[in-house]
Amino acid sequence: MRIVDKIKDAQRENRTIFSFEYFPPKTDEGVENLFERMDRMVMHQPAFCDITWGAGGSTSDLTLEIVNKMQNMICVESMMHLTCTNMPVSKLDFALENVKANGVQNILALRGDPPHGQDKFVQVEDGFSCALDLVKHIRKKYGGYFGITVAGYPEAHPDVISGDAATQEAYEKDLAYLKEKVDAGGDFVITQLFYDTDLFLRFVNDCREIGITCPIVPGIMPINNYKGFLRMTGFCKTNIPADITAALEPIKDNDEAVRSFGVHLGTEMCKKILASGINAVHLYTLNMEKSAIAILQNLGLIDISQVRRSLPWRPPTNVRRTREDVRPIFWANRPKSYISRTTAWDQYPSGRWGDSRSPAYGALTDYQFLRRRSRNKKIQEEWVVPLSSVEDIAEKFANYCAGKLKSFPWSELEGLQLETKKINSELVKINKDGFLTINSQPAVNGEKSDSPAVGWGGPGGYVYQKAYVEFFCSPEKLEKLIRKAEEFPSLTYIAVNSVGETKSNVGPGDVNAVTWGVFPAKEVIQPTVVDPISFMSWKDEAFQGWEDEWASLYKAQDDPAKKILHEIKESYYLVSLVDNDYIGGDLFAFFSGI
């Protein structure tokens, strides 16, 4: 979706929106940490996030990689900065075609800073000299596909500031240039950082006076440390009001005090801006989380104790997937894997799961994980321990279900989901009994859609769930389970081993909705299903967890733990079990005595 449409929708609905900016880190570990931070911050539902291009185009490849993963794996509307620095038209088009193919629809068009070691911008051969030319090019070649954002400078562009401020003539000339960018196809304006709110409000008024009518979004940079604040404001030639200087001077060597002041200042700036009628704020995070989140909390724009969900899983933002609203439950703890394995689908289920036999799941590859290194480190710390028996393994699973471990070889997520706390003790018990669970959900009968644990879908609705548990177990336990299931007509199961031998009491086309919601003036929404055919694709990934996600982390080839994990992979069954009686059923009582 084009960001300008989100801003205009919020204006019509009298809502305030916010967004975050990040930059490409210099190391692989930094990139992994950034994705982890994004994942947390996106839970608060920003309208969009953007990623910078890097000085002199120095991070162009990494920027492309990050923005594509932001859009498709983090699932947040994403905007990529694109500059003219060191970029002939062929490279610009390569970048634009790349992000278009990945469903990204938003570009911040900039001239860019001079390359490293140079004082002035130099136009490259077959390149553009200014952001205006880039805006014109994007509009001419790509029509209305891209939403184009342009930069505005409340104090004028740094290039025309000499001394303490730009001359009035230079300021007015810069405003006229901004209007040219908007008239050429810019959809909205994001401003350079500033700390004098009155200057920003004057800038907005001056823009309106000369006919710039598009949305203008203020760029707010929280002060996180004193030296960084001086460096950034010096580079951008930003005016610092005397009262801010006076407040910072006595605390400049106390980082915590500076951060606290930065949160207070950012909050007060935003309050004044929002009171003027502006309905959006854009936070320059500098890849840091706490200050930006604290400001939004102070403004009442987020509540960290209550994260709203439009679906049980994070909805995609890729333009090709925006209508998708149904998924198999098997990938509940590995949503990025599901996205990566379904990237090549021509269409995505909307309203009902439909015929899952026509689209093929993509091959299971390493790229499904955004944070392979950091994820493996956590699993290494918590799961790579001496193992001498199946009971040792069951104890690890039980500890995870009890909340004693944060990582899990079968999950991309950190820790247990809130709804799992409703069934923690039951999960611990069946794991100790040899049913090694990797996915589950409690039965829910008409809880309000704003429930912190199980709610989703917006206000005024009611949500429902069938109790579900997915686990590995031995063939002996499976036989007992199958015999006992004959006494429980509300139970349906699918079991398969690593070589594809299947036992089930449902047909291959029997798709079972296990989560649904009822909302005012809407059809019933059923976002998760148990689909027998998809389960066969999922089972390869699930069985791979024993070796690729766990055993491979043991360094010694002859480690006894590797042998046990391999034996379980080769001999156990993966079982999907549903209690279809979501009103009076007791799924976990079924395990008693098996």
Side-chain angles (χ1 to χ4, degrees):
M1 185 175 184
R2 299 193 317 162
I3 293 167
V4 67
D5 296 326
K6 286 192 167 192
I7 297 173
K8 290 179 178 179
D9 286 347
Q11 288 173 337
R12 283 191 293 270
E13 298 164 10
N14 197 29
R15 288 186 292 111
T16 299
I17 59 175
F18 59 89
S19 51
F20 300 125
E21 180 172 294
Y22 305 98
F23 65 84
K26 294 181 179 179
T27 65
D28 290 344
E29 186 175 3
V31 173
E32 291 190 354
N33 290 338
L34 177 60
F35 282 132
E36 199 164 348
R37 187 168 293 116
M38 281 183 188
D39 240 346
R40 290 194 300 269
M41 296 178 76
V42 166
M43 289 176 64
H44 300 295
Q45 299 182 352
F48 67 94
C49 295
D50 68 330
I51 184 79
T52 65
W53 190 247
S58 56
T59 63
S60 56
D61 290 343
L62 183 55
T63 294
L64 288 170
E65 177 188 346
I66 291 174
V67 76
N68 289 334
K69 287 183 175 177
M70 286 167 63
Q71 185 80 21
N72 294 291
M73 297 295 186
I74 302 295
C75 293
V76 62
E77 199 67 62
S78 302
M79 177 168 69
M80 183 183 74
H81 292 211
L82 186 60
T83 75
C84 304
T85 307
N86 289 339
M87 294 288 287
V89 172
S90 59
K91 283 190 175 182
L92 291 168
D93 282 336
F94 173 82
L96 291 165
E97 294 290 351
N98 181 294
V99 295
K100 184 181 179 185
N102 281 277
V104 177
Q105 279 194 279
N106 296 282
I107 300 293
L108 174 54
L110 301 159
R111 184 201 71 180
D113 300 319
H116 183 70
Q118 297 184 24
D119 295 329
K120 294 183 178 181
F121 178 87
V122 178
Q123 180 180 358
V124 297
E125 185 178 353
D126 194 30
F128 297 130
S129 63
C130 60
L132 175 60
D133 292 341
L134 179 55
V135 172
K136 289 179 178 178
H137 174 75
I138 296 172
R139 246 333 144 234
K140 180 179 180 180
K141 182 158 186 175
Y142 298 93
Y145 175 82
F146 286 111
I148 302 175
T149 308
V150 294
Y153 301 87
E155 301 169 54
H157 192 281
D159 284 359
V160 302
I161 295 176
S162 56
D164 293 333
T167 65
Q168 185 62 25
E169 180 183 0
Y171 172 75
E172 291 176 358
K173 187 176 180 180
D174 200 54
L175 277 182
Y177 177 64
L178 176 59
K179 187 173 188 306
E180 284 188 76
K181 290 192 290 184
V182 171
D183 291 345
D187 292 309
F188 74 100
V189 176
I190 287 182
T191 75
Q192 172 80 286
L193 67 96
F194 59 89
Y195 291 99
D196 188 333
T197 310
D198 290 333
L199 282 179
F200 167 76
L201 295 175
R202 183 200 71 174
F203 167 76
V204 173
N205 184 67
D206 291 343
C207 286
R208 302 306 184 217
E209 287 289 325
I210 65 169
I212 298 175
T213 60
C214 68
I216 299 174
V217 178
I220 306 295
M221 183 175 287
I223 302 173
N224 285 292
N225 67 78
Y226 187 69
K227 289 182 179 178
F229 166 71
L230 291 183
R231 183 171 59 252
M232 189 61 68
T233 53
F235 178 75
C236 297
K237 300 182 181 179
T238 307
N239 173 61
I240 305 172
D243 59 329
I244 294 178
T245 301
L248 284 171
E249 182 61 32
I251 62 170
K252 63 183 180 182
D253 296 321
N254 183 334
D255 285 347
E256 189 56 44
V258 170
R259 276 193 294 272
S260 295
F261 173 76
V263 169
H264 168 75
L265 175 63
T267 301
E268 295 305 308
M269 289 174 64
C270 289
K271 283 181 178 178
K272 188 172 182 178
I273 289 166
L274 296 176
S276 75
I278 301 288
N279 78 315
V281 291
H282 185 62
L283 292 159
Y284 296 121
T285 69
L286 297 178
N287 291 1
M288 290 183 275
E289 179 178 0
K290 292 183 178 179
S291 293
I293 296 300
I295 289 171
L296 295 174
Q297 282 183 273
N298 290 346
L299 295 171
L301 296 180
I302 64 172
D303 179 356
I304 61 172
S305 67
Q306 226 175 14
V307 176
R308 305 290 185 189
R309 305 184 298 170
S310 58
L311 289 168
W313 33 270
R314 188 177 293 168
T317 51
N318 185 307
V319 65
R320 295 185 295 111
R321 300 185 76 137
T322 51
R323 296 189 64 198
E324 178 186 4
D325 61 6
V326 189
R327 287 182 183 175
I329 196 172
F330 318 123
W331 283 272
N333 296 321
R334 293 166 78 109
K336 296 175 181 63
S337 172
Y338 180 80
I339 291 170
S340 71
R341 295 189 66 183
T342 57
T343 296
W345 287 9
D346 293 328
Q347 55 185 357
Y348 296 90
S350 176
R352 294 292 182 271
W353 177 245
D355 184 1
S356 60
R357 284 165 290 188
S358 39
Y361 288 91
L364 182 60
T365 59
D366 191 56
Y367 73 85
Q368 70 215 32
F369 295 107
L370 292 176
R371 306 189 303 271
R372 170 64 74 178
R373 186 182 291 104
S374 61
R375 180 177 176 275
N376 280 1
K377 183 178 179 182
K378 291 174 184 175
I379 293 174
Q380 181 93 34
E381 292 169 353
E382 295 187 330
W383 290 80
V384 180
V385 298
L387 301 171
S388 58
S389 66
V390 172
E391 287 72 26
D392 290 343
I393 293 171
E395 187 68 23
K396 295 299 290 183
F397 275 75
N399 285 341
Y400 175 72
C401 291
K404 296 178 182 179
L405 304 175
K406 295 295 184 185
S407 63
F408 190 52
W410 285 268
S411 178
E412 299 167 358
L413 312 177
E414 184 173 344
L416 300 171
Q417 301 305 293
L418 277 176
E419 68 175 7
T420 308
K421 294 180 180 179
K422 289 175 169 279
I423 51 175
N424 271 25
S425 58
E426 290 91 342
L427 289 171
V428 169
K429 185 176 186 308
I430 67 172
N431 273 281
K432 288 184 175 180
D433 288 341
F435 298 95
L436 308 176
T437 62
I438 62 172
N439 193 1
S440 61
Q441 70 177 27
V444 173
N445 181 25
E447 282 205 37
K448 289 187 176 181
S449 58
D450 59 0
S451 161
V454 299
W456 55 271
Y462 290 88
V463 296
Y464 301 81
Q465 293 181 175
K466 295 174 183 177
Y468 173 78
V469 64
E470 185 181 328
F471 53 88
F472 294 99
C473 73
S474 67
E476 296 76 20
K477 285 191 177 292
L478 177 62
E479 288 305 318
K480 292 180 181 180
L481 183 149
I482 290 173
R483 287 197 297 270
K484 191 168 183 179
E486 294 174 358
E487 305 168 15
F488 291 79
S490 67
L491 295 185
T492 51
Y493 64 86
I494 315 166
V496 62
N497 63 14
S498 61
V499 296
E501 296 171 345
T502 305
K503 302 181 181 185
S504 177
N505 64 352
V506 298
D510 294 339
V511 177
N512 189 353
V514 292
T515 308
W516 64 100
V518 181
F519 302 92
K522 289 183 179 179
E523 294 185 355
V524 174
I525 302 171
Q526 54 171 53
T528 57
V529 298
V530 168
D531 169 43
I533 294 175
S534 294
F535 189 64
M536 295 304 123
S537 293
W538 159 248
K539 65 99 175 168
D540 296 328
E541 187 168 337
F543 278 105
Q544 181 176 287
W546 289 104
E547 292 189 327
D548 290 10
E549 310 296 342
W550 191 355
S552 66
L553 299 180
Y554 287 88
K555 294 181 180 178
Q557 291 301 314
D558 59 350
D559 195 303
K562 283 194 169 189
K563 183 174 184 291
I564 296 171
L565 295 173
H566 177 75
E567 288 174 353
I568 288 180
K569 177 193 173 187
E570 294 299 309
S571 63
Y572 273 39
Y573 275 78
L574 176 68
V575 184
S576 165
L577 184 63
V578 180
D579 186 351
N580 294 280
D581 184 357
Y582 61 92
I583 299 175
D586 188 348
L587 178 60
F588 293 98
F590 167 76
F591 288 91
S592 178
I594 300 180

